[in-house]
Amino acid sequence: MKLDVMPIDRVVRAGLCSGCGACAAVAPEHVRMVDRTEQGRRPVVGEGAPQDALIRAAHVCPGSGLRHNRPSGVWGPVLEVWQGYAADAEVRHTGSSGGLATALGVYCLEHAQMYGVLHTAARTESPHLNETVMSTTRQQLLARSGSRYAPASPCEGLGQIEHAPASCVFVGKPCDVAGARSLALRSPGLARRLGLTISIFCAGTPTTRGTLEMLSAMGIGQAGEIRSLRYRGNGWPGDVRATRGDGGAGRALSYEQAWGEILTNHKQWRCKLCADHTGEFADLAVGDAWHLRRDGDEGRSIVVVRTERGRRILHAAIASGDVMLERVGMAELRASQSNLETTRGAVWGRIFGARLAGCPAPRYRNMPMLWLWLGRLSLREKARSIAGACRRARAAREDAPNSRPPGASQQIEPKKYQSAGRVRGTAAQGVMR
């Protein structure tokens, strides 16, 4: 089956970019990632970039679509489900939820002879922004742990894994992992060094504007005033805390205030069209075990094993004592993310609404959504998912930045798709939890 691929500059203009950075990894000489306050991380195509380079970049883009090679359920490939936490109390407390992504990273470094963990951390000079880092020690992982509810593009750092002296772990959002997997299918060098992929569950990435509004609510008027910023962690789920450069602290916000009242209102448009919230293309996917949360409880995570490689490494980490997990079933996974099936159904309505408005939308294959829209949404919710998307899709397309610098020649006719031929695997911010 052939898959039409949208050139990468058109993906950006259509408002479908997720900001993962895979395009910059596959064509670093022609594409670079920049921060755009109102949109997120976005690629900028250099002047004179050849068409074939942009098509190569489009092959690994998760923004234009995702696919499984065979029919999949609502939760994607699931071999096993576990719940629990990091055995190390410091890792569990510092990380988000149960600290399992960090604990698994530590296990891979200390017991599986892997070289490093590529993930996202606060940018040193501007902690309200993110940067892609390679952590090679337990101390580095702990210092960089905790969720980052801000734009990140960890795939642009995949070259560090490809040229590493040994296998590495990649941690990212579902779209990041999809992009990394797709690139590995086309790069034997990267495939040899990509020892494990871990995806965090994701409800969407807020733009930098969301962080600035959150800081304002904390009494911090300028992002340049802060020395550090943690969105979560040091408890479950933990408060947002910022430290000023002069040593003073802004007013802390609870997770419910920061995410529920501010950040969630600034999610990029592509996230609202996303069908993969649980890392379906990863070896292991990790999220909060929200159904187990009690006041004062330490963090707990749910872990979905999606590949044999993920199962082998997780079982080894359990045997080593690095993680404390118990085997559970699909009922616990559904309970931990009780609104996900309704959300995925609404995505089908939004995609349909976007196309009604004449706007591009991502294509999904072997990722069921329609029956969720039909069976899980009320009549009012169905109507809102379609009507709202018609309006928002137009706005997103109008607000999307041009991916080429001013004066750059437009070498690709924006309304034409280029045939990608047969595509294997997926057509397609790493945070430490």
Side-chain angles (χ1 to χ4, degrees):
M1 180 182 295
K2 288 190 175 182
L3 196 69
D4 288 333
V5 171
M6 186 185 297
I8 200 66
D9 55 347
R10 176 157 162 74
V11 171
V12 176
R13 293 198 301 274
L16 298 184
C17 178
S18 68
C20 72
C23 56
V26 78
E29 68 278 18
H30 301 296
V31 182
R32 63 185 177 89
M33 301 299 293
V34 300
D35 290 294
R36 297 191 185 277
T37 302
E38 307 296 339
Q39 288 88 29
R41 295 282 288 174
R42 292 293 180 267
V44 171
V45 178
E47 185 172 0
Q51 180 172 340
D52 67 320
L54 302 189
I55 296 300
R56 288 201 314 272
H59 278 298
V60 298
C61 175
S64 57
L66 297 169
R67 62 178 290 175
H68 288 297
N69 287 335
R70 56 183 60 89
S72 174
V74 173
W75 298 88
V78 178
L79 302 183
E80 297 174 2
V81 182
W82 298 75
Q83 66 186 23
Y85 47 86
D88 186 306
E90 183 181 10
V91 173
R92 183 182 184 184
H93 180 73
T94 304
S96 300
S97 58
L100 275 177
T102 303
L104 289 168
V106 171
Y107 166 80
C108 288
L109 295 179
E110 296 184 347
H111 301 289
Q113 290 76 51
M114 294 197 191
Y115 171 74
V117 180
L118 190 75
H119 64 105
T120 292
R123 193 176 300 181
T124 303
E125 71 281 6
S126 301
H128 70 293
L129 301 175
N130 290 326
E131 64 180 349
T132 302
V133 296
M134 178 74 82
S135 292
T136 59
T137 66
R138 176 184 184 277
Q139 292 71 26
Q140 288 178 335
L141 284 175
L142 271 175
R144 296 162 167 173
S145 65
S147 296
R148 299 290 303 171
Y149 295 127
S153 48
C155 286
E156 65 179 326
L158 285 170
Q160 296 181 58
I161 292 182
E162 183 173 2
H163 298 102
S167 295
C168 298
V169 180
F170 178 83
V171 183
K173 304 185 304 299
C175 57
D176 301 329
V177 172
R181 175 183 164 178
S182 188
L183 186 55
L185 288 172
R186 294 161 177 81
S187 171
L190 176 61
R192 283 193 297 269
R193 289 291 185 251
L194 195 58
L196 180 70
T197 58
I198 301 175
S199 175
I200 59 163
F201 289 7
C202 181
T205 300
T207 65
T208 302
R209 177 61 62 195
T211 293
L212 297 178
E213 184 176 318
M214 181 189 74
L215 290 173
S216 178
M218 298 171 70
I220 299 175
Q222 298 292 330
E225 298 177 21
I226 64 173
R227 184 177 62 192
S228 67
L229 174 62
R230 286 187 62 92
Y231 290 82
R232 282 187 61 183
N234 294 325
W236 189 31
D239 294 337
V240 177
R241 295 188 179 276
T243 302
R244 297 177 185 271
D246 59 10
R251 179 171 64 90
L253 293 180
S254 68
Y255 172 80
E256 290 77 11
Q257 290 173 310
W259 174 258
E261 298 178 13
I262 301 174
L263 295 173
T264 192
N265 299 319
H266 293 272
K267 287 187 288 188
Q268 56 187 2
W269 169 242
R270 177 60 180 79
C271 295
K272 297 179 182 295
L273 302 178
C274 183
D276 180 12
H277 298 275
T278 60
E280 297 184 20
F281 298 91
D283 294 313
L284 298 172
V286 180
D288 287 273
W290 289 121
H291 63 303
L292 300 178
R293 184 186 172 196
R294 303 291 185 273
D295 289 341
D297 192 13
E298 294 290 339
R300 294 178 183 269
S301 301
I302 199 93
V303 184
V304 183
V305 179
R306 301 201 181 276
T307 68
E308 289 296 337
R309 178 170 68 177
R311 173 151 55 190
R312 182 178 68 253
I313 291 177
L314 184 68
H315 286 198
I318 294 171
S320 73
D322 283 71
V323 297
M324 305 296 292
L325 296 172
E326 61 174 336
R327 181 83 177 267
V328 296
M330 289 298 297
E332 283 77 9
L333 176 57
R334 293 188 180 94
S336 73
Q337 307 291 323
S338 58
N339 66 334
L340 187 141
E341 292 183 350
T342 300
T343 300
R344 185 156 169 163
V347 168
W348 186 91
R350 292 173 194 148
I351 291 173
F352 184 70
R355 289 177 178 155
L356 280 180
C359 298
R363 295 182 178 274
Y364 298 105
R365 294 182 181 173
N366 293 325
M367 300 179 70
M369 291 181 286
L370 174 58
W371 68 268
L372 291 174
W373 183 81
L374 291 171
R376 296 302 179 91
L377 275 68
S378 67
L379 183 60
R380 181 179 181 183
E381 289 171 331
K382 289 184 178 75
R384 289 179 60 185
S385 68
I386 295 175
C390 288
R391 181 180 66 256
R392 292 171 185 169
R394 291 193 186 99
R397 185 168 60 177
E398 291 170 358
D399 292 341
N402 195 319
S403 63
R404 292 179 180 269
S409 60
Q410 297 292 325
Q411 297 184 359
I412 298 178
E413 167 57 40
K415 292 186 179 181
K416 290 184 179 179
Y417 285 52
Q418 302 294 327
S419 175
R422 189 171 297 276
V423 179
R424 297 182 299 148
T426 170
Q429 99 204 321
V431 300
M432 298 306 298
R433 301 176 72 89

